[in-house]
Amino acid sequence: DILIDNAVEATAELPERKIVIGSQRRDKHAEILITDSGHGIPPAVLECLFREPIKKPQGAKGLGIGLLLAQTIVQTYSGTISCRETGPTGTTMVISFPLEIYKR
Protein backbone atom coordinates (compact mmCIF):
# COMPACT_ATOMS: atom_id res chain seq x y z
CA ASP A 1 0.00 0.00 0.00
CA ILE A 2 3.02 2.32 0.36
CA LEU A 3 3.57 2.32 -3.41
CA ILE A 4 -0.11 2.98 -4.05
CA ASP A 5 -0.14 5.84 -1.52
CA ASN A 6 2.89 7.32 -3.30
CA ALA A 7 1.12 7.01 -6.68
CA VAL A 8 -1.99 8.70 -5.29
CA GLU A 9 0.15 11.53 -3.92
CA ALA A 10 2.04 11.86 -7.23
CA THR A 11 -1.20 12.38 -9.14
CA ALA A 12 -3.06 14.43 -6.53
CA GLU A 13 -2.95 17.77 -8.33
CA LEU A 14 -3.51 16.48 -11.87
CA PRO A 15 -6.80 17.12 -13.66
CA GLU A 16 -6.85 13.50 -14.85
CA ARG A 17 -5.36 10.94 -12.47
CA LYS A 18 -4.39 7.45 -13.58
CA ILE A 19 -2.95 4.60 -11.51
CA VAL A 20 -2.62 1.12 -12.99
CA ILE A 21 -1.79 -1.96 -10.94
CA GLY A 22 -0.79 -5.06 -12.84
CA SER A 23 1.11 -8.29 -12.59
CA GLN A 24 3.18 -10.39 -14.93
CA ARG A 25 5.57 -13.29 -15.02
CA ARG A 26 9.11 -12.36 -16.06
CA ASP A 27 11.60 -15.18 -16.33
CA LYS A 28 11.45 -17.00 -12.97
CA HIS A 29 9.80 -14.10 -11.12
CA ALA A 30 6.31 -12.80 -10.47
CA GLU A 31 6.10 -9.01 -10.75
CA ILE A 32 3.63 -6.51 -9.38
CA LEU A 33 3.71 -3.20 -11.26
CA ILE A 34 2.29 0.10 -10.05
CA THR A 35 2.22 2.83 -12.70
CA ASP A 36 1.02 6.38 -12.17
CA SER A 37 0.52 9.35 -14.49
CA GLY A 38 2.35 11.81 -12.24
CA HIS A 39 5.24 14.10 -13.13
CA GLY A 40 7.95 11.54 -12.35
CA ILE A 41 10.53 11.34 -9.60
CA PRO A 42 13.03 14.22 -9.53
CA PRO A 43 16.64 13.12 -10.23
CA ALA A 44 17.86 14.18 -6.76
CA VAL A 45 15.18 12.02 -5.11
CA LEU A 46 15.74 9.13 -7.53
CA GLU A 47 19.38 8.90 -6.41
CA CYS A 48 18.24 8.35 -2.79
CA LEU A 49 15.48 5.79 -3.41
CA PHE A 50 15.89 2.63 -1.37
CA ARG A 51 19.15 3.93 0.16
CA GLU A 52 18.19 6.64 2.61
CA PRO A 53 15.15 8.55 3.87
CA ILE A 54 13.76 11.05 1.38
CA LYS A 55 14.09 14.65 2.50
CA LYS A 56 10.66 16.24 2.37
CA PRO A 57 9.72 19.90 2.57
CA GLN A 58 8.21 21.11 5.81
CA GLY A 59 4.50 20.33 5.95
CA ALA A 60 4.73 17.51 3.40
CA LYS A 61 2.90 14.25 4.06
CA GLY A 62 4.90 11.31 5.46
CA LEU A 63 8.31 10.86 7.02
CA GLY A 64 10.25 9.94 3.86
CA ILE A 65 10.89 6.35 4.97
CA GLY A 66 8.03 4.55 3.20
CA LEU A 67 10.11 3.05 0.40
CA LEU A 68 12.75 1.87 2.85
CA LEU A 69 10.03 0.14 4.85
CA ALA A 70 8.51 -1.38 1.70
CA GLN A 71 11.96 -2.61 0.63
CA THR A 72 12.51 -4.30 4.01
CA ILE A 73 9.15 -6.07 3.80
CA VAL A 74 9.73 -7.24 0.22
CA GLN A 75 13.27 -8.45 0.99
CA THR A 76 11.90 -10.49 3.90
CA TYR A 77 10.13 -12.60 1.26
CA SER A 78 13.23 -12.84 -1.02
CA GLY A 79 11.92 -10.15 -3.33
CA THR A 80 13.17 -6.89 -4.78
CA ILE A 81 11.60 -3.51 -5.32
CA SER A 82 12.73 -0.98 -7.89
CA CYS A 83 11.80 1.97 -10.05
CA ARG A 84 11.54 0.58 -13.57
CA GLU A 85 10.96 3.95 -15.20
CA THR A 86 10.14 7.52 -14.34
CA GLY A 87 9.66 10.65 -16.37
CA PRO A 88 7.33 13.57 -17.04
CA THR A 89 4.44 11.25 -17.91
CA GLY A 90 4.65 8.98 -14.87
CA THR A 91 6.48 6.37 -12.88
CA THR A 92 6.44 2.57 -12.78
CA MET A 93 7.53 0.82 -9.60
CA VAL A 94 8.05 -2.95 -9.59
CA ILE A 95 7.96 -5.53 -6.83
CA SER A 96 9.48 -8.84 -7.93
CA PHE A 97 9.33 -12.18 -6.14
CA PRO A 98 11.01 -15.41 -7.19
CA LEU A 99 8.50 -18.05 -8.20
CA GLU A 100 10.58 -20.72 -6.54
CA ILE A 101 12.53 -19.84 -3.41
CA TYR A 102 13.85 -23.20 -2.29
CA LYS A 103 15.22 -26.00 -4.42
CA ARG A 104 14.66 -29.53 -3.20
Side-chain angles (χ1 to χ4, degrees), residues 1-2 6 15-16 19-20 26 39 49 52 58 62 65-66 68 71 75 80 87 95 102:
D1 69 338
I2 293 167
N6 287 353
E16 187 173 327
I19 299 171
V20 178
R26 180 175 250 188
H39 298 294
L49 287 186
E52 59 188 67
Q58 188 172 352
I65 60 171
L68 292 172
Q71 180 181 42
Q75 287 175 342
T80 61
I95 299 170
Y102 304 102

Side-chain angles (χ1 to χ4, degrees), residues 43-71:
V45 174
L46 193 57
E47 290 176 13
C48 301
L49 287 186
F50 309 111
R51 285 185 249 178
E52 59 188 67
I54 305 301
K55 293 174 181 68
K56 295 188 152 216
Q58 188 172 352
K61 180 183 169 196
L63 300 173
I65 60 171
L67 290 178
L68 292 172
L69 178 60
Q71 180 181 42

